[in-house]
Amino acid sequence: MFRALRSVLCTKSKYSVFLNETPGWRIGRNLHSSQSRTAKIFKDHENIYAHQVLEQSANPYQLFSLHKQEHFAYTDLDESILSLKSDEKINKDELKILFENFKAVAFYCKATNSTISEQRFNAFRNRYCEGVSLLSDEQLLESLRLLLVLPKEESVRADNFIELWNALDVECCRRIENWDTNELLLVCDAWYKLDLARICDFVKEALRKMGRKVRKMTASQLVQTMFLCNVMRCSLYEMMDFEVNLAHYVQNMSLDELGVMSMGFFKTQTRLRNPELLDNLYKRLINELDTAKDITLVAILKILRYSSKIPQVDKMKELLDKMSQEKLEAMSLLTCLHVALFGCELQFCHNKIVEYVLMRFERELEQTRLKDLERICLVMGLFNMKTSTGIEKTLCARVLHMLNNRIDEILKYPNCFLNCLHYLTLCGFYNQEMLAAALDEKFLKHACGSNLVMNRNVFHLDTFVKVNLKDKNYLGPQLADKYRKTMGKMLTYYIPERNSKYKLSATDHILLEIKDIISTLLPHNTLKHILPNYARPDIVICYDSQQRTSLPLSNICPEDYSDLLHLF
């Protein structure tokens, strides 16, 4: 595998992008550095599902659609409307004719599958863009509907199309202060339907205005605004207002609507801090678990995992207890993965549930994405799984073997490969050839670029090689000393001290309290860095079991870890 990866990285093939040899590409990303060629790139399965929730709800959402009575079929077009002069200002009579002509052009294009980017529409486009500022609000909305009627362009920057939607975008932005929340949501939905929400300026500006009124929103306005935050992947100035308002409506929303809210909270990296709201989400999910759809379940699990603290562990256990093997069998593999990940933040492991999930992965391993392999390996490595069936050993061995056949996927997602190897070493599984491939300088440059010194898992893998393979004839590459020195400084935490001039974190206080308690029984103890695998220091003691007493550490304790592994 080492030779295969190296040969691909060194060959000018489609993967030369990752060596930064192809202009217009960035290391590690399979996307052009220029803007997307198609607007469709911004729609994903999760957003489509969330919008369907709004469409199927009985609540009054502001959804944009074509009028049902519009069934015009223009198979011929009066060419005179395409050869317009723009010497004079547009008057009201001409504006009305111009608007009707735009409708004729749009339905003609639809009937004949013509695109507005054709040169024959240039003059008409110029004249229409001149009159956009004179359109009434209803005509402006109708113009957006006509953009929906037009056949899809290959690019959102196609001639004529870009000028039309830009002109409409500018005019929509000018009217933001005159529109109320429902009108803003309706126009935002129009831009979403056009697949232009993340490109146009209107949605960002509208969200900025609506962000000042979140606490006064109705339940449907709240959900639709959060949907837009999810689409835009951006938070409003005060996301706490969403949480405050949601606490009022949580019992009145459907579970699917709560799923849409959860997507928005998670994608904007907003934790829920209200314990009562968290408890209500747990109760709703527990009570409706049997009927919960997979995407809704995953969305709520994500935000609960992201937001839960120690007081929520009992609710977490209650939820996982209700999940049976039959329920897990009915779920998709991705949903099962999120069930297994559910307790990771609090290091709460539900052994029975995790074992069921590992069995699902072992059965469906051939179809599993590398990204999902990485995350299930995280579960096994974090919890140090030891099941009665030994399924974790079987799965680790199979994953390690399967990585040999995933070179294309590894080159596309190199960090997933590095993380997989690290988590597998925590479970005691490794392959020297793969470790050599992962630590190869070219692969690390491809995977990490200029951020190598901040990649903790690479640091862990190199330490694993230096410590665990020291006597096993490992001959592959290792990190250069200059990198280890910098990474040691960047990734290893300080040793906390009381009465320090630096402010101590909550974790530091807990560690010092533990040390004080230990000191009452074993007075000879100290905080020391032994291995760089662990960012925080350990409490080191020396205990004579025969004398049943602690011994001084001055002569037997190794030096603190400092940059390089000199102690080995």
Side-chain angles (χ1 to χ4, degrees):
M1 180 179 180
F2 177 35
R3 290 189 295 271
L5 271 178
R6 190 164 189 172
S7 64
V8 172
L9 285 168
C10 293
T11 303
K12 287 188 177 180
S13 64
K14 62 180 178 178
Y15 295 111
S16 61
V17 51
F18 298 114
L19 298 180
N20 209 22
E21 294 174 357
T22 305
W25 292 74
R26 292 177 59 197
I27 291 176
R29 293 193 64 185
N30 196 18
L31 293 173
H32 284 289
S33 59
S34 59
Q35 288 285 354
S36 166
R37 289 187 63 232
T38 59
K40 205 70 174 176
I41 193 74
F42 293 123
K43 267 195 174 180
D44 59 34
H45 183 63
E46 194 177 69
N47 288 339
I48 293 171
Y49 171 80
H51 199 270
Q52 287 174 350
V53 170
L54 307 187
E55 292 171 343
Q56 296 167 6
S57 173
N59 292 327
Y61 288 102
Q62 304 301 313
L63 302 178
F64 187 83
S65 60
L66 295 175
H67 293 313
K68 292 182 179 180
Q69 68 269 24
E70 290 181 340
H71 294 292
F72 304 109
Y74 292 91
T75 55
D76 195 11
L77 191 67
D78 184 355
E79 295 294 327
S80 64
I81 70 176
L82 302 181
S83 55
L84 301 173
K85 296 181 180 180
S86 56
D87 300 337
E88 302 176 357
K89 285 187 177 182
I90 299 175
N91 56 43
K92 290 185 178 179
D93 292 335
E94 184 184 355
L95 179 65
K96 184 176 181 180
I97 296 171
L98 196 61
F99 178 73
E100 291 299 320
N101 287 344
F102 185 30
K103 184 178 291 187
V105 168
F107 281 96
Y108 167 78
C109 288
K110 180 181 179 181
T112 60
N113 201 28
S114 304
T115 58
I116 198 69
S117 58
E118 295 177 17
Q119 290 187 358
R120 57 183 170 141
F121 298 115
N122 287 3
F124 175 78
R125 175 261 300 166
N126 283 334
R127 194 61 171 162
Y128 195 78
C129 288
E130 289 174 14
V132 163
S133 61
L134 303 175
L135 296 174
S136 66
D137 287 352
E138 184 55 36
Q139 287 174 325
L140 191 60
L141 281 174
E142 285 298 321
S143 297
L144 292 175
R145 286 192 176 92
L146 293 175
L147 288 187
L148 269 176
V149 170
L150 293 170
K152 280 283 183 185
E153 299 284 346
E154 287 189 8
S155 167
V156 296
R157 286 167 174 74
D159 291 341
N160 295 334
F161 183 64
I162 185 173
E163 286 84 3
L164 281 170
W165 73 256
N166 260 320
L168 293 172
D169 183 30
V170 169
E171 189 55 34
C172 286
C173 288
R174 285 176 181 163
R175 304 187 190 191
I176 282 178
E177 294 304 322
N178 300 326
W179 288 340
D180 62 22
T181 299
N182 282 340
E183 290 171 318
L184 292 173
L185 289 172
L186 180 63
V187 179
C188 283
D189 194 62
W191 289 107
Y192 170 75
K193 291 281 183 64
L194 286 164
D195 301 332
L196 293 169
R198 291 181 66 184
I199 301 177
C200 71
D201 290 328
F202 176 81
V203 179
K204 292 192 287 285
E205 296 302 320
L207 282 174
R208 188 172 291 121
K209 179 184 177 182
M210 290 188 289
R212 303 194 295 264
K213 304 178 180 180
V214 171
R215 293 201 184 201
K216 299 179 181 178
M217 286 182 175
T218 64
S220 56
Q221 289 174 339
L222 190 71
V223 174
Q224 191 167 357
T225 304
M226 184 59 95
F227 166 75
L228 293 169
C229 289
N230 183 40
V231 171
M232 300 295 290
R233 300 294 195 267
C234 70
S235 57
L236 302 185
Y237 176 72
E238 187 52 80
M239 292 299 290
M240 177 63 75
D241 291 346
F242 277 101
E243 184 177 346
V244 171
N245 204 351
L246 178 59
H248 297 151
Y249 294 121
V250 66
Q251 298 299 341
N252 300 324
M253 290 182 182
S254 69
L255 194 67
D256 288 334
E257 288 171 323
L258 290 176
V260 175
M261 293 295 297
S262 299
M263 290 177 196
F265 281 120
F266 187 78
K267 288 297 169 63
T268 57
Q269 299 182 3
T270 305
R271 297 179 191 274
L272 299 179
R273 301 175 186 177
N274 184 337
E276 185 179 350
L277 176 58
L278 284 172
D279 285 347
N280 282 328
L281 282 176
Y282 272 107
K283 288 176 185 176
R284 289 291 303 273
L285 193 55
I286 290 170
N287 293 336
E288 301 177 46
L289 184 61
D290 292 336
T291 58
K293 298 171 185 174
D294 277 12
I295 297 182
T296 296
L297 176 60
V298 168
I300 299 177
L301 285 178
K302 281 181 178 179
I303 194 59
L304 289 178
R305 184 179 87 227
Y306 189 56
S307 305
S308 293
K309 303 294 182 184
I310 296 299
Q312 281 78 45
V313 168
D314 289 341
K315 286 290 184 183
M316 188 177 289
K317 183 178 185 302
E318 183 181 352
L319 175 58
L320 292 174
D321 282 341
K322 190 170 180 181
M323 291 188 183
S324 62
Q325 187 171 6
E326 292 74 21
K327 177 66 178 173
L328 289 170
E329 290 291 341
M331 295 176 183
S332 68
L333 189 64
L334 182 61
T335 307
C336 288
L337 174 62
H338 284 284
V339 171
L341 289 166
F342 188 45
C344 285
E345 298 291 330
L346 296 176
Q347 297 186 25
F348 169 72
C349 181
H350 195 294
N351 292 310
K352 188 176 180 181
I353 292 298
V354 174
E355 186 174 2
Y356 287 156
V357 175
L358 295 184
M359 290 178 179
R360 277 288 303 274
F361 266 85
E362 200 276 331
R363 288 204 312 268
E364 302 178 33
L365 196 59
E366 298 293 336
Q367 295 80 38
T368 306
R369 303 179 306 165
L370 181 61
K371 288 183 176 182
D372 297 334
L373 291 180
E374 172 200 356
R375 289 183 281 184
I376 198 62
C377 287
L378 165 64
V379 173
M380 293 188 290
L382 178 65
F383 294 137
N384 192 25
M385 292 297 300
K386 297 288 188 294
T387 64
S388 58
T389 59
I391 187 63
E392 74 286 351
K393 295 179 181 178
T394 304
L395 185 56
C396 284
R398 287 196 62 195
V399 169
L400 195 62
H401 176 74
M402 181 173 292
L403 290 175
N404 279 302
N405 304 319
R406 299 286 187 99
I407 291 180
D408 285 352
E409 207 171 352
I410 287 169
L411 287 166
K412 190 174 182 181
Y413 305 107
N415 273 303
C416 289
F417 174 61
L418 292 172
N419 295 342
C420 259
L421 291 185
H422 166 56
Y423 301 140
L424 288 171
T425 59
L426 296 179
C427 300
F429 288 80
Y430 65 92
N431 178 293
Q432 291 197 24
E433 188 179 2
M434 287 187 189
L435 290 171
L439 294 173
D440 180 69
E441 185 178 355
K442 286 187 174 64
F443 184 79
L444 289 177
K445 183 179 180 182
H446 156 49
C448 308
S450 60
N451 295 321
L452 174 61
V453 294
M454 295 304 296
N455 194 312
R456 188 179 296 279
N457 286 349
V458 172
F459 195 43
H460 285 212
L461 285 176
D462 188 67
T463 303
F464 178 84
V465 166
K466 285 179 166 61
V467 177
N468 297 72
L469 303 186
K470 180 181 178 183
D471 301 321
K472 296 190 178 181
N473 299 320
Y474 173 80
L475 301 175
Q478 301 179 38
L479 281 180
D481 286 349
K482 64 176 181 179
Y483 290 125
R484 282 205 63 87
K485 186 173 183 179
T486 304
M487 294 169 86
K489 290 179 179 178
M490 299 288 288
L491 302 174
T492 304
Y493 292 176
Y494 56 87
I495 296 178
E497 297 177 355
R498 294 199 186 278
N499 303 319
S500 171
K501 63 179 180 179
Y502 301 108
K503 185 177 180 180
L504 299 179
S505 66
T507 306
D508 294 333
H509 282 294
I510 292 172
L511 188 60
L512 289 172
E513 286 178 14
I514 294 172
K515 183 181 184 300
D516 291 343
I517 294 170
I518 290 175
S519 296
T520 61
L521 302 173
L522 304 167
H524 302 103
N525 67 77
T526 186
L527 290 171
K528 295 191 78 67
H529 279 294
I530 303 299
L531 288 176
N533 302 54
Y534 307 98
R536 297 191 178 276
D538 295 299
I539 301 177
V540 180
I541 62 172
C542 182
Y543 184 73
D544 187 329
S545 58
Q546 292 183 347
Q547 300 294 327
R548 304 185 72 177
T549 183
S550 63
L551 301 177
L553 297 165
S554 56
N555 298 324
I556 55 177
C557 192
E559 298 179 25
D560 284 336
Y561 169 78
S562 59
D563 308 335
L564 302 178
L565 279 171
H566 59 272
L567 62 158
F568 300 112

